[in-house]
């Protein structure tokens, strides 16, 4: 009988082919605990799936790892879907994982929890870093889908409450693969423009997958980095996202966000009218209550003013009489006169006069000129 000799490569190739052609091993779910987990810089995951009695080497290539939202760790129980094959160089069979899901909890829920714990530990949710939403915003930026129903509701509410406020609509994709990057872009552009006092970031309701862009780490960090206060308004009242925790304020719906951001002019005007009416009524009542007191003070004030005026008139008359006595015009009335030379200097002696000189003589009722002979 002839002896057939195989090389290790031939054997491994034969076994690999047999494994690859096995219908059962071509796609099966395996539940186990992750151990020796290694996230390679290439994007591949290398780990072992084990239970109490056995272990299977496993690999998940980067083309599949980018589709999971949570971070696998050693000790985590998971359900893996993949195929059994052989790595020919080592002769070791292993599980080539195409899909990985946490056992007992959804992958998206786990990703949400992991990111929430991470950002909370960094202080991104801390109350002390949140800013007040301005009460009298002059310009409001709205980041959302330009074709969704949410933007129309927001615009309508703002216009109803305050037609003077400026609205800046920054269109963004809010669902799908590129949504997170587009939201980050819109936040950056609104901050760079600098014309808004507050930002409303949100969209209407949807499934967890629909809202997932608002659970991305990049969006959370862009909200935290915003120089303008951000109101998060994602989905319905029961929906919570990472953006809600990071924003300066969470609104249960986009409509509620519009009511918070826009100052209600109509309500304010009505309130001012009520205050004016209340103040006028209070003043009238106060005046009626104090009418007697006011009249008493008015009478006393009038009496004091009259007495003061009478005294002042007496003083004025006395001073007028004194002035009359010392006035030169009173002397003139008694027959005296004032003599002045050509330069209007008083002449006090006859020796100061010369023949032909013109002089001025002032009497009580006027002035005459004369010439010395």
């Amino acid at each position: 009988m002839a002896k057939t000799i195989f090389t290790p490569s031939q054997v491994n190739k034969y076994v690999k082919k047999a494994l690859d052609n096995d219908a059962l091993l071509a796609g099966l779910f395996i539940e186990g605990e992750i151990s020796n987990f290694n996230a390679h810089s290439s994007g591949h995951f290398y780990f072992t799936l084990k239970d109490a009695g056995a272990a299977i080497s496993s690999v998940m290539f980067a083309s599949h790892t980018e589709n999971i939202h949570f971070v696998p760790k050693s000790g985590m129980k998971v359900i893996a879907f993949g195929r059994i094959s052989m790595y020919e160089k080592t002769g070791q069979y292993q599980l080539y994982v195409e899909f990985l899901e946490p056992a007992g909890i959804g992958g998206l829920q786990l990703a949400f929890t992991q990111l929430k714990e991470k950002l909370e530990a960094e202080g991104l949710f801390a109350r002390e870093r949140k800013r007040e939403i301005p009460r009298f915003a002059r310009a409001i930026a709205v980041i959302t889908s330009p074709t969704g129903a949410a933007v129309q509701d927001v615009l309508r509410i703002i216009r109803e409450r305050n037609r003077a406020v400026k609205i800046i609509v920054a269109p963004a994709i809010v669902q799908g693969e590129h949504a997170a990057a587009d939201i980050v872009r819109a936040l950056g552009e609104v901050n760079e423009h600098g014309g808004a006092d507050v930002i409303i970031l949100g969209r209407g309701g949807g499934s967890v997958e629909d809202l997932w862009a608002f659970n991305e780490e990049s969006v959370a960090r862009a909200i935290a980095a915003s120089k303008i206060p951000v109101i998060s308004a994602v989905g319905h009242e029961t929906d919570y996202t990472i953006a809600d925790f990071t924003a300066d304020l969470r609104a249960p719906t986009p409509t509620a966000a519009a009511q918070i951001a826009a100052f209600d002019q109509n309500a304010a005007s009505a309130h001012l009218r009520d205050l004016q009416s209340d103040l006028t009524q209070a003043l009238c009542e106060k005046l009626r209550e104090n009418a007697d007191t006011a009249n008493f003070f008015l009478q006393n004030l009038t009496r004091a003013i009259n007495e003061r005026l009478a005294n002042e008139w007496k003083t004025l008359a006395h001073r007028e009489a004194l002035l009359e006595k010392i006035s030169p015009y009173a002397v003139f009335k008694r027959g005296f006169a004032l003599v002045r030379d050509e330069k209007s200097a008083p002449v006090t002696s006859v020796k100061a006069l010369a023949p032909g000189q013109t002089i001025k003589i002032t009497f009580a009722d006027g002035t005459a000129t004369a010439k010395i002979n």
Side-chain angles (χ1 to χ4, degrees):
M1 180 177 174
K3 183 185 295 184
T4 303
I5 300 176
F6 296 94
T7 64
S9 296
Q10 291 174 322
V11 173
N12 286 351
K13 185 174 295 186
Y14 178 82
V15 174
K16 182 179 185 305
K17 184 177 180 180
L19 293 173
D20 291 342
N21 290 333
D22 189 298
L24 176 62
L25 301 180
L28 69 165
F29 290 92
I30 300 178
E31 181 176 355
E33 180 182 317
I34 294 177
S35 65
N36 301 320
F37 179 79
N38 177 25
H40 196 269
S41 58
S42 63
H44 305 327
F45 290 168
Y46 298 96
F47 55 95
T48 300
L49 276 182
K50 67 176 185 178
D51 60 14
I56 301 175
S57 294
S58 306
V59 60
M60 189 174 191
F61 294 126
S63 58
H64 297 298
T65 62
E66 63 184 16
N67 294 325
I68 67 172
H69 297 282
F70 69 98
V71 180
K73 297 179 181 179
S74 294
M76 184 182 294
K77 289 186 177 181
V78 295
I79 298 175
F81 173 80
R83 59 186 176 83
I84 300 292
S85 188
M86 174 182 282
Y87 184 54
E88 294 182 48
K89 287 187 177 181
T90 62
Q92 181 182 22
Y93 84 90
Q94 56 188 8
L95 175 66
Y96 291 84
V97 181
E98 298 176 8
F99 174 79
L100 197 63
E101 180 79 1
I105 184 174
L108 292 179
Q109 181 60 40
L110 180 60
F112 178 91
T113 302
Q114 288 178 335
L115 182 59
K116 183 174 180 291
E117 291 175 350
K118 175 184 176 181
L119 298 182
E120 188 170 19
E122 292 182 22
L124 262 68
F125 304 160
R127 183 181 298 275
E128 53 269 20
R129 64 158 293 277
K130 296 184 183 295
R131 292 158 296 184
E132 290 290 333
I133 304 301
R135 186 177 180 185
F136 304 103
R138 293 170 295 180
I140 301 172
V142 182
I143 299 178
T144 189
S145 170
T147 59
V151 68
Q152 299 303 323
D153 289 340
V154 169
L155 296 180
R156 176 179 55 81
I157 292 298
I158 293 176
R159 284 287 176 247
E160 287 177 355
R161 292 174 65 84
N162 193 333
R163 298 196 65 84
V165 72
K166 179 181 178 182
I167 304 175
I168 304 167
V169 178
I173 302 171
V174 294
Q175 180 177 333
E177 181 181 356
H178 305 291
D182 207 42
I183 292 170
V184 171
R185 173 200 57 76
L187 281 166
E189 289 181 356
V190 171
N191 274 270
E192 185 178 354
H193 182 269
D197 298 314
V198 63
I199 296 172
I200 296 176
L201 171 64
R203 56 153 291 161
S207 65
V208 174
E209 290 79 8
D210 293 340
L211 305 180
W212 192 255
F214 297 90
N215 288 321
E216 295 287 358
E217 183 173 354
S218 59
V219 172
R221 295 198 181 279
I223 292 173
S226 175
K227 298 176 183 178
I228 303 171
V230 177
I231 301 175
S232 175
V234 182
H236 301 300
E237 188 169 357
T238 56
D239 297 319
Y240 275 84
T241 65
I242 296 296
D244 293 329
F245 295 108
T246 315
D248 297 286
L249 181 68
R250 174 192 181 261
T253 62
T255 300
Q259 293 172 338
I260 294 169
F263 178 72
D264 192 343
Q265 281 185 326
N266 298 327
S269 298
H271 182 60
L272 287 175
R273 287 193 295 271
D274 291 342
L275 288 177
Q276 184 179 22
S277 176
D278 292 343
L279 180 60
T280 302
Q281 184 177 354
L283 285 174
C284 291
E285 291 178 357
K286 197 69 176 177
L287 287 173
R288 283 194 294 270
E289 292 173 0
N290 294 281
D292 293 340
T293 303
N295 288 332
F296 173 76
F297 281 112
L298 181 60
Q299 291 173 2
N300 286 341
L301 179 61
T302 302
R303 187 183 304 111
I305 290 174
N306 291 335
E307 290 177 356
R308 179 66 180 268
L309 287 174
N311 290 334
E312 292 295 333
W313 278 114
K314 288 180 181 178
T315 302
L316 182 61
H318 176 68
R319 290 177 179 176
E320 184 178 8
L322 289 177
L323 287 173
E324 181 67 24
K325 289 180 180 180
I326 63 175
S327 171
Y329 289 98
V331 178
F332 291 162
K333 290 179 180 179
R334 297 199 301 271
F336 294 91
L338 172 64
V339 180
R340 291 174 292 171
D341 61 17
E342 298 90 334
K343 298 180 180 179
S344 297
V347 178
T348 59
S349 173
V350 72
K351 296 178 180 180
L353 299 175
Q357 181 180 359
T358 301
I359 61 174
K360 295 178 181 180
I361 305 172
T362 300
F363 299 94
D365 57 351
T367 300
T369 59
K371 183 175 288 188
I372 301 300
N373 293 325

